Amino acid sequence: MKRTYYLETFGCQMNVVDSERIGELLATIGYQPVSQPDDARLILLNTCAVRDKAVRKAYGHLGRFKPLKERNPELIIGLGGCIAQQEGAELLGNFPYLDLVFGTHNIHRLPELVDEVEANRVRCEETEFLDRETRLRLFPSRSDSDQVARFVTVMQGCDNYCSYCVVPYVRGREISRPSGEVLTEVRALASSGVREVTLIGQNVNSYGLRDAEELSFADLLEQVNRVDGIERIRFTTSHPKDLSPQLIDCFGRLGKLCWHLHLPVQSGSNDILRAMNRGYSREHYLEIVRHLKEVCPQIRLSTDIIVGFPGESDEDFNATLDLLAQVCFADIYSFIFSPRRGTAAADLADNTPAAIKQQRFDRMLKLQQELSRQVWQQDVGQVCQVLVEGESKQGAGQLFGRTTWGRIVNFAGERSQVGQTVPVHITRSFKNSQLGELVCQDKLTP
Ligand code: SAH
Ligand code: SF4
């Protein structure tokens, strides 16, 4: 059977980058991607364990592949990512049709593991964490790209141990990639046509803090800002406790840094923030927001919120609603607390009924929908600079790109404009995107 693979990715941007790496590695042993699992010799799931919903979804999809295996015993099914890291060899016991389990530090071994399964029809599991030196060698990196906007990994892992979060257990210790390598990659990407880079890691704000010789994240941004060809810079994810005043000032100083910051707050209640082990208070967070808006009045913020953390009272929840109204986030990503095995919060007493949590969640969403609508509506009638990323799904002659705030804008244009930053008159604003019309350059007032 032809060497073809079907890959499904769950969860965060880190997994998106890991999946790209998986694709590159599989190409080295002659595997080509296919869009239907029925056409694949190898099916891989790159999973997320952050919330129960994501875990159940991955298992649901895995179950769907069982009949395929029964029809085609040659099929290889593998599961990687955070669930693999957490469950390890037990997965092979629980899912007899699973051939391969690989952890978050073991992606580089995929070619050998797949070859091994294929040649000897053995079942493999590899989930051990690697030492620092090896991890430094294996940072995902690329030197060219046909895309306009790319992720660049600057750090991996997390040492924060927020009490609800499984990430430190499944991604390992925090490690920063040497700044020289990051800059080499950004320069190479710029030469191959990339115009926007998003520096990513679980907590990019603590970049370099553990190494006295390394640049701070603010200094790294400054260097990236100097790279010719790069027009826009973003970064994610930020932790409020490590968002230094120097880093905040970057939003006022660095011309290429986009006016958007994702800054997860999780809760507006100091008691809950303490129980979450977040390391900042509501007041500190609001002070950061004030400082950000002072140095960059146009900045728009997005955040993550957990509703129904164990012990969250009505008062705590109302404090979160109050914070949302005060800050006026452009977007929020909200989740009902989901206990994760092995984390500190999993053992906390939780007396709030599920129905109350759902009510809180719905109330919050309703408030935020109105706030988001107000924020994005401000753009209607304005001309925004849009970096064109490609042809839109809407069909021929339609392009899509993003504003500095990260909003997708669809508009009519020509393919040759992909990669350019063009002025677009925003005509409508929807829940997740906007519609616009290209402004002829000669009609623009200087
Ligand atoms: N490193 C990032 C992302 C962590 S996971 C950060 O620190 O923000 C992404 C989001 O999932 C978190 O911000 C949090 O809001 C949510 N999350 C994590 N663990 C959760 C849990 N056990 N239950 C519900 N939501 C959770
Ligand atoms: Fe999880 Fe907290 Fe680390 Fe984010 S900072 S990955 S929420 S432990």
Side-chain angles (χ1 to χ4, degrees):
M1 193 178 172
K2 253 175 70 187
R3 290 192 136 184
T4 49
Y5 74 91
Y6 172 78
L7 171 61
E8 279 189 2
T9 307
F10 301 81
C12 63
Q13 287 124 336
M14 258 57 74
N15 269 11
V16 172
V17 172
D18 284 346
S19 281
E20 277 181 13
R21 180 93 190 104
I22 289 173
E24 285 163 13
L25 288 162
L26 290 176
T28 66
I29 54 167
Y31 269 90
Q32 299 302 319
V34 287
S35 55
Q36 293 299 326
D38 308 69
D39 301 332
R41 179 191 173 92
L42 168 67
I43 293 178
L44 291 178
L45 291 93
N46 189 11
T47 62
C48 169
V50 163
R51 288 172 296 274
D52 188 50
K53 215 169 167 183
V55 174
R56 274 187 287 138
K57 193 166 160 198
Y59 283 146
H61 285 216
L62 182 61
R64 285 211 319 247
F65 300 134
K66 188 178 172 200
L68 289 183
K69 178 84 170 195
E70 284 161 359
R71 283 208 298 276
N72 172 16
E74 263 192 48
L75 177 67
I76 300 170
I77 302 182
L79 191 143
C82 295
I83 298 180
Q85 192 59 50
Q86 197 166 40
E87 305 299 330
E90 273 193 27
L91 287 167
L92 294 180
N94 294 341
F95 299 95
Y97 52 96
L98 192 59
D99 301 285
L100 176 60
V101 173
F102 57 101
T104 54
H105 288 195
N106 316 97
I107 289 169
H108 64 293
R109 288 268 298 139
L110 261 183
E112 286 99 324
L113 295 173
V114 170
D115 274 344
E116 169 99 358
V117 174
E118 217 176 55
N120 305 322
R121 285 315 318 180
V122 286
R123 302 173 77 209
C124 294
E125 180 260 343
E126 200 162 303
T127 51
E128 80 266 9
F129 276 156
L130 302 178
D131 61 47
R132 207 184 127 76
E133 299 313 312
T134 316
R135 288 176 73 196
L136 281 174
R137 242 187 329 106
L138 293 172
F139 255 100
S141 151
R142 38 167 66 223
S143 52
D144 63 350
S145 169
D146 53 5
Q147 281 161 282
V148 173
R150 296 274 336 166
F151 292 132
V152 173
T153 310
V154 298
M155 52 92 62
Q156 286 179 333
C158 182
D159 292 346
N160 282 321
Y161 294 95
C162 300
S163 65
Y164 51 82
C165 186
V166 78
V167 168
Y169 305 94
V170 292
R171 289 271 168 184
R173 298 304 302 268
E174 191 173 304
I175 168 175
S176 296
R177 186 176 177 201
S179 48
E181 274 181 36
V182 173
L183 291 166
T184 303
E185 179 169 340
V186 173
R187 286 188 198 109
L189 290 174
S191 321
S192 77
V194 170
R195 295 290 161 256
E196 174 180 309
V197 285
T198 302
L199 307 184
I200 66 161
Q202 290 294 349
N203 174 22
V204 291
N205 303 164
S206 62
Y207 176 87
L209 288 186
R210 281 162 189 71
D211 182 353
E213 311 279 290
E214 192 46 277
L215 298 181
S216 69
F217 191 60
D219 291 337
L220 179 66
L221 282 180
E222 172 134 22
Q223 296 293 329
V224 175
N225 195 64
R226 292 198 185 139
V227 175
D228 286 339
I230 294 298
E231 290 171 17
R232 286 182 173 185
I233 306 167
R234 305 179 190 277
F235 59 89
T236 195
T237 300
S238 289
H239 194 305
K241 84 175 161 54
D242 299 314
L243 195 76
S244 65
Q246 292 82 347
L247 185 49
I248 294 174
D249 287 338
C250 287
F251 284 95
R253 271 186 330 109
L254 304 183
K256 297 178 183 177
L257 192 56
C258 290
W259 296 339
H260 171 246
L261 178 65
H262 183 65
L263 191 62
V265 63
Q266 312 297 357
S267 168
S269 150
N270 279 335
D271 287 345
I272 297 297
L273 287 173
R274 214 170 296 118
M276 286 177 165
N277 191 31
R278 287 291 285 176
Y280 56 86
S281 64
R282 171 193 175 95
E283 292 72 26
H284 181 62
Y285 189 90
L286 288 172
E287 173 52 26
I288 290 174
V289 172
R290 192 202 56 74
H291 189 173
L292 281 163
K293 289 184 176 170
E294 181 184 279
V295 299
C296 180
Q298 308 89 335
I299 199 165
R300 292 185 188 168
L301 302 170
S302 56
T303 201
D304 290 348
I305 303 276
I306 297 179
V307 174
F309 186 82
E312 184 190 66
S313 65
D314 279 336
E315 204 185 331
D316 294 318
F317 175 66
N318 284 331
T320 301
L321 292 185
D322 182 73
L323 183 125
L324 294 185
Q326 258 193 63
V327 177
C328 199
F329 292 100
D331 287 301
I332 68 167
Y333 303 88
S334 47
F335 314 99
I336 291 181
F337 171 72
S338 153
R340 309 316 299 139
R341 183 161 42 87
T343 63
D347 300 326
L348 294 176
D350 189 359
N351 300 323
T352 314
I356 300 284
K357 293 190 183 192
Q358 189 64 48
Q359 275 174 22
R360 288 181 187 162
F361 185 83
D362 295 344
R363 232 180 109 194
M364 189 173 74
L365 221 59
K366 202 161 159 232
L367 167 70
Q368 184 57 40
Q369 269 169 4
E370 180 50 25
L371 292 169
S372 293
R373 198 192 59 75
Q374 286 172 16
V375 171
W376 296 113
Q377 196 62 29
Q378 291 170 28
D379 298 338
V380 176
Q382 305 292 323
V383 174
C384 294
Q385 294 298 321
V386 172
L387 173 57
V388 187
E389 291 190 27
E391 289 184 300
S392 110
K393 285 184 214 126
Q394 256 94 32
Q398 295 294 311
L399 301 176
F400 80 96
R402 280 173 207 271
T403 61
T404 184
W405 299 293
R407 205 51 156 195
I408 296 244
V409 181
N410 292 295
F411 62 99
E414 285 163 27
R415 232 204 98 70
S416 60
Q417 285 163 323
V418 173
Q420 292 177 16
T421 301
V422 296
V424 177
H425 177 241
I426 308 296
T427 53
R428 289 188 70 183
S429 188
F430 307 108
K431 219 166 151 218
N432 297 309
S433 66
Q434 294 175 326
L435 203 61
E437 284 162 5
L438 195 65
V439 178
C440 295
Q441 307 277 351
D442 49 3
K443 282 199 198 143
L444 273 184
T445 41

mmCIF file with all atom_site columns, all heavy atoms in Angstrom, residues 431-446:
data_model
loop_
_atom_site.group_PDB
_atom_site.id
_atom_site.type_symbol
_atom_site.label_atom_id
_atom_site.label_alt_id
_atom_site.label_comp_id
_atom_site.label_asym_id
_atom_site.label_entity_id
_atom_site.label_seq_id
_atom_site.pdbx_PDB_ins_code
_atom_site.Cartn_x
_atom_site.Cartn_y
_atom_site.Cartn_z
_atom_site.occupancy
_atom_site.B_iso_or_equiv
_atom_site.pdbx_formal_charge
_atom_site.auth_seq_id
_atom_site.auth_comp_id
_atom_site.auth_asym_id
_atom_site.auth_atom_id
_atom_site.pdbx_PDB_model_num
ATOM 1   N N   . LYS A 1 431 ? -19.305 37.918 13.713 1.00 0.00 ? 431 LYS A N   1
ATOM 2   C CA  . LYS A 1 431 ? -18.811 37.397 14.983 1.00 0.00 ? 431 LYS A CA  1
ATOM 3   C C   . LYS A 1 431 ? -17.300 37.102 14.939 1.00 0.00 ? 431 LYS A C   1
ATOM 4   O O   . LYS A 1 431 ? -16.563 37.415 15.864 1.00 0.00 ? 431 LYS A O   1
ATOM 5   C CB  . LYS A 1 431 ? -19.578 36.121 15.326 1.00 0.00 ? 431 LYS A CB  1
ATOM 6   C CG  . LYS A 1 431 ? -19.887 36.016 16.779 1.00 0.00 ? 431 LYS A CG  1
ATOM 7   C CD  . LYS A 1 431 ? -20.921 34.953 17.043 1.00 0.00 ? 431 LYS A CD  1
ATOM 8   C CE  . LYS A 1 431 ? -20.680 34.396 18.419 1.00 0.00 ? 431 LYS A CE  1
ATOM 9   N NZ  . LYS A 1 431 ? -20.907 32.980 18.510 1.00 0.00 ? 431 LYS A NZ  1
ATOM 10  N N   . ASN A 1 432 ? -16.854 36.490 13.856 1.00 0.00 ? 432 ASN A N   1
ATOM 11  C CA  . ASN A 1 432 ? -15.449 36.093 13.802 1.00 0.00 ? 432 ASN A CA  1
ATOM 12  C C   . ASN A 1 432 ? -14.646 36.706 12.674 1.00 0.00 ? 432 ASN A C   1
ATOM 13  O O   . ASN A 1 432 ? -13.467 36.398 12.518 1.00 0.00 ? 432 ASN A O   1
ATOM 14  C CB  . ASN A 1 432 ? -15.332 34.568 13.680 1.00 0.00 ? 432 ASN A CB  1
ATOM 15  C CG  . ASN A 1 432 ? -15.913 33.883 14.886 1.00 0.00 ? 432 ASN A CG  1
ATOM 16  O OD1 . ASN A 1 432 ? -15.579 34.212 16.015 1.00 0.00 ? 432 ASN A OD1 1
ATOM 17  N ND2 . ASN A 1 432 ? -16.837 32.952 14.658 1.00 0.00 ? 432 ASN A ND2 1
ATOM 18  N N   . SER A 1 433 ? -15.278 37.499 11.845 1.00 0.00 ? 433 SER A N   1
ATOM 19  C CA  . SER A 1 433 ? -14.539 38.065 10.717 1.00 0.00 ? 433 SER A CA  1
ATOM 20  C C   . SER A 1 433 ? -15.190 39.369 10.287 1.00 0.00 ? 433 SER A C   1
ATOM 21  O O   . SER A 1 433 ? -16.226 39.764 10.834 1.00 0.00 ? 433 SER A O   1
ATOM 22  C CB  . SER A 1 433 ? -14.534 37.074 9.549  1.00 0.00 ? 433 SER A CB  1
ATOM 23  O OG  . SER A 1 433 ? -15.856 36.925 9.060  1.00 0.00 ? 433 SER A OG  1
ATOM 24  N N   . GLN A 1 434 ? -14.559 40.010 9.319  1.00 0.00 ? 434 GLN A N   1
ATOM 25  C CA  . GLN A 1 434 ? -15.120 41.259 8.794  1.00 0.00 ? 434 GLN A CA  1
ATOM 26  C C   . GLN A 1 434 ? -15.103 41.209 7.273  1.00 0.00 ? 434 GLN A C   1
ATOM 27  O O   . GLN A 1 434 ? -14.373 40.416 6.682  1.00 0.00 ? 434 GLN A O   1
ATOM 28  C CB  . GLN A 1 434 ? -14.279 42.447 9.283  1.00 0.00 ? 434 GLN A CB  1
ATOM 29  C CG  . GLN A 1 434 ? -14.369 42.626 10.787 1.00 0.00 ? 434 GLN A CG  1
ATOM 30  C CD  . GLN A 1 434 ? -13.475 43.713 11.334 1.00 0.00 ? 434 GLN A CD  1
ATOM 31  O OE1 . GLN A 1 434 ? -12.385 43.949 10.823 1.00 0.00 ? 434 GLN A OE1 1
ATOM 32  N NE2 . GLN A 1 434 ? -13.915 44.366 12.390 1.00 0.00 ? 434 GLN A NE2 1
ATOM 33  N N   . LEU A 1 435 ? -15.920 42.077 6.692  1.00 0.00 ? 435 LEU A N   1
ATOM 34  C CA  . LEU A 1 435 ? -15.995 42.159 5.240  1.00 0.00 ? 435 LEU A CA  1
ATOM 35  C C   . LEU A 1 435 ? -15.515 43.550 4.849  1.00 0.00 ? 435 LEU A C   1
ATOM 36  O O   . LEU A 1 435 ? -15.794 44.520 5.567  1.00 0.00 ? 435 LEU A O   1
ATOM 37  C CB  . LEU A 1 435 ? -17.468 41.996 4.844  1.00 0.00 ? 435 LEU A CB  1
ATOM 38  C CG  . LEU A 1 435 ? -17.763 41.508 3.437  1.00 0.00 ? 435 LEU A CG  1
ATOM 39  C CD1 . LEU A 1 435 ? -17.182 40.122 3.213  1.00 0.00 ? 435 LEU A CD1 1
ATOM 40  C CD2 . LEU A 1 435 ? -19.283 41.475 3.240  1.00 0.00 ? 435 LEU A CD2 1
ATOM 41  N N   . GLY A 1 436 ? -14.797 43.642 3.720  1.00 0.00 ? 436 GLY A N   1
ATOM 42  C CA  . GLY A 1 436 ? -14.310 44.964 3.347  1.00 0.00 ? 436 GLY A CA  1
ATOM 43  C C   . GLY A 1 436 ? -14.177 45.138 1.855  1.00 0.00 ? 436 GLY A C   1
ATOM 44  O O   . GLY A 1 436 ? -14.432 44.210 1.066  1.00 0.00 ? 436 GLY A O   1
ATOM 45  N N   . GLU A 1 437 ? -13.778 46.335 1.466  1.00 0.00 ? 437 GLU A N   1
ATOM 46  C CA  . GLU A 1 437 ? -13.536 46.661 0.054  1.00 0.00 ? 437 GLU A CA  1
ATOM 47  C C   . GLU A 1 437 ? -12.170 47.310 -0.047 1.00 0.00 ? 437 GLU A C   1
ATOM 48  O O   . GLU A 1 437 ? -11.859 48.229 0.718  1.00 0.00 ? 437 GLU A O   1
ATOM 49  C CB  . GLU A 1 437 ? -14.588 47.659 -0.456 1.00 0.00 ? 437 GLU A CB  1
ATOM 50  C CG  . GLU A 1 437 ? -15.926 47.025 -0.718 1.00 0.00 ? 437 GLU A CG  1
ATOM 51  C CD  . GLU A 1 437 ? -17.040 48.065 -0.799 1.00 0.00 ? 437 GLU A CD  1
ATOM 52  O OE1 . GLU A 1 437 ? -16.746 49.279 -0.741 1.00 0.00 ? 437 GLU A OE1 1
ATOM 53  O OE2 . GLU A 1 437 ? -18.207 47.636 -0.895 1.00 0.00 ? 437 GLU A OE2 1
ATOM 54  N N   . LEU A 1 438 ? -11.425 46.818 -1.006 1.00 0.00 ? 438 LEU A N   1
ATOM 55  C CA  . LEU A 1 438 ? -10.084 47.363 -1.225 1.00 0.00 ? 438 LEU A CA  1
ATOM 56  C C   . LEU A 1 438 ? -10.175 48.844 -1.596 1.00 0.00 ? 438 LEU A C   1
ATOM 57  O O   . LEU A 1 438 ? -11.012 49.235 -2.396 1.00 0.00 ? 438 LEU A O   1
ATOM 58  C CB  . LEU A 1 438 ? -9.457  46.571 -2.377 1.00 0.00 ? 438 LEU A CB  1
ATOM 59  C CG  . LEU A 1 438 ? -7.979  46.692 -2.583 1.00 0.00 ? 438 LEU A CG  1
ATOM 60  C CD1 . LEU A 1 438 ? -7.227  46.119 -1.386 1.00 0.00 ? 438 LEU A CD1 1
ATOM 61  C CD2 . LEU A 1 438 ? -7.589  45.937 -3.844 1.00 0.00 ? 438 LEU A CD2 1
ATOM 62  N N   . VAL A 1 439 ? -9.311  49.636 -0.999 1.00 0.00 ? 439 VAL A N   1
ATOM 63  C CA  . VAL A 1 439 ? -9.313  51.062 -1.319 1.00 0.00 ? 439 VAL A CA  1
ATOM 64  C C   . VAL A 1 439 ? -8.226  51.309 -2.356 1.00 0.00 ? 439 VAL A C   1
ATOM 65  O O   . VAL A 1 439 ? -7.086  50.876 -2.167 1.00 0.00 ? 439 VAL A O   1
ATOM 66  C CB  . VAL A 1 439 ? -8.994  51.902 -0.057 1.00 0.00 ? 439 VAL A CB  1
ATOM 67  C CG1 . VAL A 1 439 ? -8.951  53.390 -0.379 1.00 0.00 ? 439 VAL A CG1 1
ATOM 68  C CG2 . VAL A 1 439 ? -9.998  51.620 1.037  1.00 0.00 ? 439 VAL A CG2 1
ATOM 69  N N   . CYS A 1 440 ? -8.591  51.954 -3.461 1.00 0.00 ? 440 CYS A N   1
ATOM 70  C CA  . CYS A 1 440 ? -7.562  52.250 -4.467 1.00 0.00 ? 440 CYS A CA  1
ATOM 71  C C   . CYS A 1 440 ? -6.562  53.211 -3.836 1.00 0.00 ? 440 CYS A C   1
ATOM 72  O O   . CYS A 1 440 ? -6.965  54.186 -3.188 1.00 0.00 ? 440 CYS A O   1
ATOM 73  C CB  . CYS A 1 440 ? -8.177  52.911 -5.698 1.00 0.00 ? 440 CYS A CB  1
ATOM 74  S SG  . CYS A 1 440 ? -9.288  51.797 -6.526 1.00 0.00 ? 440 CYS A SG  1
ATOM 75  N N   . GLN A 1 441 ? -5.279  52.924 -4.055 1.00 0.00 ? 441 GLN A N   1
ATOM 76  C CA  . GLN A 1 441 ? -4.235  53.702 -3.382 1.00 0.00 ? 441 GLN A CA  1
ATOM 77  C C   . GLN A 1 441 ? -4.386  55.196 -3.662 1.00 0.00 ? 441 GLN A C   1
ATOM 78  O O   . GLN A 1 441 ? -4.196  56.026 -2.781 1.00 0.00 ? 441 GLN A O   1
ATOM 79  C CB  . GLN A 1 441 ? -2.838  53.263 -3.849 1.00 0.00 ? 441 GLN A CB  1
ATOM 80  C CG  . GLN A 1 441 ? -2.579  51.782 -3.736 1.00 0.00 ? 441 GLN A CG  1
ATOM 81  C CD  . GLN A 1 441 ? -2.146  51.351 -2.348 1.00 0.00 ? 441 GLN A CD  1
ATOM 82  O OE1 . GLN A 1 441 ? -1.875  52.189 -1.500 1.00 0.00 ? 441 GLN A OE1 1
ATOM 83  N NE2 . GLN A 1 441 ? -2.095  50.054 -2.100 1.00 0.00 ? 441 GLN A NE2 1
ATOM 84  N N   . ASP A 1 442 ? -4.800  55.561 -4.920 1.00 0.00 ? 442 ASP A N   1
ATOM 85  C CA  . ASP A 1 442 ? -4.837  56.981 -5.259 1.00 0.00 ? 442 ASP A CA  1
ATOM 86  C C   . ASP A 1 442 ? -5.996  57.730 -4.586 1.00 0.00 ? 442 ASP A C   1
ATOM 87  O O   . ASP A 1 442 ? -6.047  58.941 -4.574 1.00 0.00 ? 442 ASP A O   1
ATOM 88  C CB  . ASP A 1 442 ? -4.884  57.171 -6.786 1.00 0.00 ? 442 ASP A CB  1
ATOM 89  C CG  . ASP A 1 442 ? -5.939  56.299 -7.435 1.00 0.00 ? 442 ASP A CG  1
ATOM 90  O OD1 . ASP A 1 442 ? -6.652  55.606 -6.686 1.00 0.00 ? 442 ASP A OD1 1
ATOM 91  O OD2 . ASP A 1 442 ? -6.049  56.317 -8.669 1.00 0.00 ? 442 ASP A OD2 1
ATOM 92  N N   . LYS A 1 443 ? -6.949  56.966 -4.003 1.00 0.00 ? 443 LYS A N   1
ATOM 93  C CA  . LYS A 1 443 ? -8.061  57.637 -3.325 1.00 0.00 ? 443 LYS A CA  1
ATOM 94  C C   . LYS A 1 443 ? -7.731  57.945 -1.858 1.00 0.00 ? 443 LYS A C   1
ATOM 95  O O   . LYS A 1 443 ? -8.493  58.580 -1.159 1.00 0.00 ? 443 LYS A O   1
ATOM 96  C CB  . LYS A 1 443 ? -9.305  56.747 -3.362 1.00 0.00 ? 443 LYS A CB  1
ATOM 97  C CG  . LYS A 1 443 ? -10.012 56.762 -4.693 1.00 0.00 ? 443 LYS A CG  1
ATOM 98  C CD  . LYS A 1 443 ? -11.427 56.261 -4.530 1.00 0.00 ? 443 LYS A CD  1
ATOM 99  C CE  . LYS A 1 443 ? -11.989 55.860 -5.882 1.00 0.00 ? 443 LYS A CE  1
ATOM 100 N NZ  . LYS A 1 443 ? -12.835 54.703 -5.804 1.00 0.00 ? 443 LYS A NZ  1
ATOM 101 N N   . LEU A 1 444 ? -6.588  57.414 -1.413 1.00 0.00 ? 444 LEU A N   1
ATOM 102 C CA  . LEU A 1 444 ? -6.234  57.576 0.006  1.00 0.00 ? 444 LEU A CA  1
ATOM 103 C C   . LEU A 1 444 ? -5.704  58.974 0.270  1.00 0.00 ? 444 LEU A C   1
ATOM 104 O O   . LEU A 1 444 ? -4.863  59.477 -0.464 1.00 0.00 ? 444 LEU A O   1
ATOM 105 C CB  . LEU A 1 444 ? -5.138  56.575 0.392  1.00 0.00 ? 444 LEU A CB  1
ATOM 106 C CG  . LEU A 1 444 ? -5.585  55.202 0.843  1.00 0.00 ? 444 LEU A CG  1
ATOM 107 C CD1 . LEU A 1 444 ? -4.357  54.422 1.274  1.00 0.00 ? 444 LEU A CD1 1
ATOM 108 C CD2 . LEU A 1 444 ? -6.564  55.302 2.003  1.00 0.00 ? 444 LEU A CD2 1
ATOM 109 N N   . THR A 1 445 ? -6.193  59.554 1.327  1.00 0.00 ? 445 THR A N   1
ATOM 110 C CA  . THR A 1 445 ? -5.576  60.809 1.757  1.00 0.00 ? 445 THR A CA  1
ATOM 111 C C   . THR A 1 445 ? -4.273  60.465 2.469  1.00 0.00 ? 445 THR A C   1
ATOM 112 O O   . THR A 1 445 ? -4.209  59.457 3.165  1.00 0.00 ? 445 THR A O   1
ATOM 113 C CB  . THR A 1 445 ? -6.511  61.554 2.719  1.00 0.00 ? 445 THR A CB  1
ATOM 114 O OG1 . THR A 1 445 ? -7.086  60.603 3.592  1.00 0.00 ? 445 THR A OG1 1
ATOM 115 C CG2 . THR A 1 445 ? -7.564  62.314 1.979  1.00 0.00 ? 445 THR A CG2 1
ATOM 116 N N   . PRO A 1 446 ? -3.219  61.253 2.305  1.00 0.00 ? 446 PRO A N   1
ATOM 117 C CA  . PRO A 1 446 ? -1.942  60.882 2.885  1.00 0.00 ? 446 PRO A CA  1
ATOM 118 C C   . PRO A 1 446 ? -1.961  60.798 4.427  1.00 0.00 ? 446 PRO A C   1
ATOM 119 O O   . PRO A 1 446 ? -2.781  61.418 5.036  1.00 0.00 ? 446 PRO A O   1
ATOM 120 C CB  . PRO A 1 446 ? -0.993  61.989 2.429  1.00 0.00 ? 446 PRO A CB  1
ATOM 121 C CG  . PRO A 1 446 ? -1.835  63.055 1.879  1.00 0.00 ? 446 PRO A CG  1
ATOM 122 C CD  . PRO A 1 446 ? -3.191  62.536 1.605  1.00 0.00 ? 446 PRO A CD  1
#
